[in-house]
């Protein structure tokens, strides 16, 4: 088969005209372009998700440190509260002694 373009005939291949081939190649080019765009978007989303996961991990670690610090502070304050109560009891006892003239009984 000779592929000559003559004025009276149109070139065809696989039963498709030149216009059909141009339309098909345009369609395929569009599909390939969309796939490339989708791949780029998926890559950007993957990077954003990785960054978000790192941020969440960092926040969880910071929360764990905060919770540990809060627990230490609570324990420290509990010790001071016990010491304060003992001091208050001792002050009350000293007031009783002063009030009773130094006598520990009665």
């Amino acid at each position: 088969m000779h592929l000559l373009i003559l004025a009276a005939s149109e070139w065809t291949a696989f039963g498709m005209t030149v216009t059909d081939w141009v339309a098909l190649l345009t369609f395929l080019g569009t599909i390939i372009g969309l796939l490339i765009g989708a791949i780029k978007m998926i890559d950007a989303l993957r990077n954003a998700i990785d960054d978000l996961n790192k941020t969440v991990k960092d926040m969880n670690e910071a929360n764990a440190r905060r919770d540990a610090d809060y627990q230490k502070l609570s324990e420290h304050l509990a010790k001071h509260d016990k010491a304060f109560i003992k001091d208050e009891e001792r002050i009350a006892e000293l007031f009783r002694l002063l009030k009773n003239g130094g006598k520990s009984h009665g």
Side-chain angles (χ1 to χ4, degrees), residues 53-65 67:
N53 285 335
K54 184 182 180 317
T55 301
V56 169
K57 181 182 175 188
D58 292 345
M59 287 177 61
N60 287 337
E61 290 171 357
N63 287 342
R65 287 191 302 270
D67 292 344

Side-chain angles (χ1 to χ4, degrees), residues 78-91:
K79 289 178 185 176
H80 280 283
D81 285 346
K82 289 177 185 176
F84 180 77
I85 291 170
K86 287 180 183 178
D87 289 344
E88 287 290 318
E89 290 171 353
R90 181 67 182 142
I91 291 170

